[in-house]
């Protein structure tokens, strides 16, 4: 006997019981986003590694240690996508979408791959619903994106939500700030955790994420980027906030908000849910005005977000889950009736009825029980002589008809109700 195989660590099977809730989530996302002019896009599951090395940033955890990178067999380095924003910016440039009316609003529901340590709410293959608006730096784009995300999470009844918001300014302001922050960290190096100390030059901003007590103390007196925005960035941030205030959306300005991707400029935001454990981030995003150009396209502003499907499902109170109704269950008795049952089922499907036939050799009683389990509206029991008993399962009424008449009867009966 061979060993029983299992799904790879950090991955999971979406079983039929769980599929209905995911469909409900997709339907809600499509309604909210397409209603606001976002159109669906899907990019390949893998990209040239360069897309993420340049786009997400060489100093990030994602690029440094979490990517599934391999040779495609022809000497080209490819990577399973760890996120969706860089690929979409690649596609925007590749297909000349800057020639379309701007902004180009796109949404996706795709799976992503990160070699992280699996735990509750953290997987190595996970799904995101994302939205990206490219080609406008209007603060209303940021506010609209945030409000659509809030609407989506509300409609899914994701509990215990908290929204944090900040601005990272321009890359130049950020670079100058990084130097000052690194100086502050170096001056207090002896109180920092070893990993933060080792990354002072590489990524000093990540020190805000640390839960090491000494590091937290040092960070409490660290300079804040939000206090150093240039006039245009400060004005942009104020405009985003004003629109959110006008929409009466609750949020906190958190100047220590750090996102794990390098492409952000100006607005950044994150939704957390206290219905989740340690991995409390439900959704996050921000503005990335330099990303399309970094990938070789024309200078194009952009803003968007992604929400984790697993985490939304974990934190959602209740999603409407309605299995497809069964209009007709075709049962039969006798050796010749099977072929006729098959024909009636096919005919019913051609007439757009949801139909199923007996496939497991059950007794008459067992077949009726199965029909009941499926919640079938009508059951037809076919006999060997071309006759059938048609039963309306909700009224209990029974009727003898020719097998060839079953579908027409069901259609007529349904039409009368
Ligand atoms: P992110 O914050 O890395 O952003 O991921 C967004 C969401 O994906 C997280 O809030 C979380 O719900 C989910 N997520 C991330 N990693 C995992 C994992 N290992 N297991 C389960 N869920 C996970 C981005 O990916 C950016 N592309 C978002 C964005 C779009 N920014 C601008 N546009």
């Amino acid at each position: 006997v061979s060993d029983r195989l299992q799904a790879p660590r950090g991955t999971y099977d979406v079983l039929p019981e769980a599929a209905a809730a995911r469909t409900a989530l997709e339907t809600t996302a499509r309604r909210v986003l397409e209603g606001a002019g976002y159109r669906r896009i899907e990019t390949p599951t893998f990209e040239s590694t360069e897309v993420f090395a340049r786009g997400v940033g060489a100093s990030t955890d994602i690029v440094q240690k979490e990517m599934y990178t391999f040779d495609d067999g022809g000497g080209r380095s490819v990577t399973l996508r760890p996120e969706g924003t860089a690929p979409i910016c690649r596609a925007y440039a590749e297909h000349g979408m800057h020639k379309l009316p701007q902004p180009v609003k796109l949404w996706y529901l795709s799976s992503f791959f990160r070699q992280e340590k699996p735990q509750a709410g953290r997987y190595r293959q996970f799904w995101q619903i994302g939205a990206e608006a490219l080609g406008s730096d209007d603060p209303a784009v940021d506010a609209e994106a945030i409000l659509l995300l809030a609407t989506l999470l509300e409609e899914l009844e994701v509990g215990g939500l908290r929204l944090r918001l900040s601005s990272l300014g321009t890359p130049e302001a950020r670079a100058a700030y990084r130097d000052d922050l690194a100086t502050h960290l170096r001056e207090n190096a002896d109180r920092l955790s070893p990993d933060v100390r080792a990354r002072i030059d590489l990524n000093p901003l990540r020190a805000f994420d640390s839960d090491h007590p000494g590091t937290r103390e040092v960070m409490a007196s660290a300079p804040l980027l939000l206090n150093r925005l240039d006039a245009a960035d400060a004005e942009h941030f104020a405009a985003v906030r004003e629109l959110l205030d006008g929409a009466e959306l609750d949020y906190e300005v958190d100047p220590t908000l750090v996102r794990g991707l390098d492409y952000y400029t100006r607005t950044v935001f994150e939704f957390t849910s206290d219905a989740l454990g340690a991995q409390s981030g439900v959704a996050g995003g921000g503005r990335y005005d330099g990303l399309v150009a970094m990938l070789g396209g024309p200078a194009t502003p952009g803003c968007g977000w992604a929400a984790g499907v697993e985490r939304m499902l974990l934190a959602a109170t209740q999603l409407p889950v309605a299995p497809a109704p069964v209009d007709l269950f075709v049962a039969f008795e006798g050796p010749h009736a099977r072929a006729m049952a098959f024909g009636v089922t096919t005919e019913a499907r051609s007439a757009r009825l949801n139909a199923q036939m007996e496939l497991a050799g059950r007794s008459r009683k067992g077949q009726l029980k199965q029909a009941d389990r499926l919640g079938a509206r009508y059951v037809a029991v076919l006999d060997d002589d071309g006759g059938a008993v048609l039963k309306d399962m909700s009224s209990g009424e029974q009727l003898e008809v020719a097998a060839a008449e079953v579908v027409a009867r069901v259609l007529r009966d349904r039409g009368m109700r």
Side-chain angles (χ1 to χ4, degrees), residues 83 85 108 114 116 121-123 126 128 132 259 261 263-264 281-286 288 304-306 308 310-311:
E83 65 98 48
T85 312
Y108 51 96
R114 294 184 194 175
E116 294 189 88
R122 190 160 79 191
Y123 300 90
F126 56 98
Q128 289 181 344
E132 317 285 355
R259 304 263 309 125
L261 304 109
Y263 48 61
Y264 291 113
V282 181
Y288 43 87
W305 48 259
E310 295 77 14
R311 296 187 195 172

Side-chain angles (χ1 to χ4, degrees), residues 99-175:
K99 294 186 206 114
L100 300 173
Q102 307 292 301
V104 175
K105 294 169 161 188
L106 303 165
W107 79 280
Y108 51 96
L109 168 50
S110 327
S111 62
F112 297 92
F113 305 84
R114 294 184 194 175
Q115 219 168 115
E116 294 189 88
K117 200 162 177 265
Q119 62 179 83
R122 190 160 79 191
Y123 300 90
R124 291 183 162 178
Q125 178 178 6
F126 56 98
W127 271 258
Q128 289 181 344
I129 289 179
E132 317 285 355
L134 291 118
S136 166
D137 64 3
D138 192 318
V141 170
D142 310 45
E144 180 182 79
I146 294 170
L147 282 167
L148 289 170
L149 176 56
T151 303
L152 175 66
L153 296 174
E154 250 165 55
E155 294 214 3
L156 296 172
E157 296 186 31
V158 174
L161 282 176
R162 177 172 162 224
L163 168 60
R164 290 177 303 141
L165 182 69
S166 191
S167 174
L168 300 178
T170 55
E172 296 74 37
R174 209 161 140 196

Side-chain angles (χ1 to χ4, degrees), residues 89-301:
C89 289
R90 193 265 310 137
Y92 178 92
E94 183 171 335
H95 301 287
M97 290 191 224
H98 61 282
K99 294 186 206 114
L100 300 173
Q102 307 292 301
V104 175
K105 294 169 161 188
L106 303 165
W107 79 280
Y108 51 96
L109 168 50
S110 327
S111 62
F112 297 92
F113 305 84
R114 294 184 194 175
Q115 219 168 115
E116 294 189 88
K117 200 162 177 265
Q119 62 179 83
R122 190 160 79 191
Y123 300 90
R124 291 183 162 178
Q125 178 178 6
F126 56 98
W127 271 258
Q128 289 181 344
I129 289 179
E132 317 285 355
L134 291 118
S136 166
D137 64 3
D138 192 318
V141 170
D142 310 45
E144 180 182 79
I146 294 170
L147 282 167
L148 289 170
L149 176 56
T151 303
L152 175 66
L153 296 174
E154 250 165 55
E155 294 214 3
L156 296 172
E157 296 186 31
V158 174
L161 282 176
R162 177 172 162 224
L163 168 60
R164 290 177 303 141
L165 182 69
S166 191
S167 174
L168 300 178
T170 55
E172 296 74 37
R174 209 161 140 196
Y177 167 74
R178 260 175 73 123
D179 290 346
D180 291 353
L181 182 61
T183 305
H184 175 76
L185 291 175
R186 251 181 253 111
E187 282 168 5
N188 297 283
D190 50 335
R191 292 153 69 199
L192 300 174
S193 73
D195 60 315
V196 169
R197 200 182 311 134
R199 290 157 59 93
I200 292 182
D201 291 313
L202 198 58
N203 197 346
L205 281 148
R206 288 312 292 270
F208 283 114
D209 279 350
S210 171
D211 41 25
H212 173 261
T215 306
R216 290 187 74 95
E217 267 173 47
V218 173
M219 296 323 283
S221 60
L224 294 174
L225 177 53
L226 196 57
N227 299 333
R228 305 178 170 209
L229 298 183
D230 69 25
D233 291 346
E235 202 178 302
H236 191 274
F237 190 50
V240 174
R241 293 188 52 183
E242 206 173 303
L243 290 165
L244 294 178
D245 292 338
E248 297 186 356
L249 185 73
D250 278 339
Y251 62 87
E252 290 158 50
V253 173
D254 179 357
T256 70
L257 177 60
V258 183
R259 304 263 309 125
L261 304 109
D262 272 357
Y263 48 61
Y264 291 113
T265 54
R266 295 187 159 175
T267 316
V268 283
F269 52 90
E270 208 159 83
F271 275 95
T272 51
S273 164
D274 59 21
L276 295 171
Q279 298 303 311
S280 63
V282 181
R287 182 162 275 291
Y288 43 87
D289 291 345
L291 183 52
V292 176
M294 268 194 295
L295 297 172
T300 309

Side-chain angles (χ1 to χ4, degrees), residues 399-411:
L399 182 73
E400 282 187 24
V401 291
E405 290 298 309
V406 164
V407 171
R409 277 311 296 216
V410 170
L411 288 172

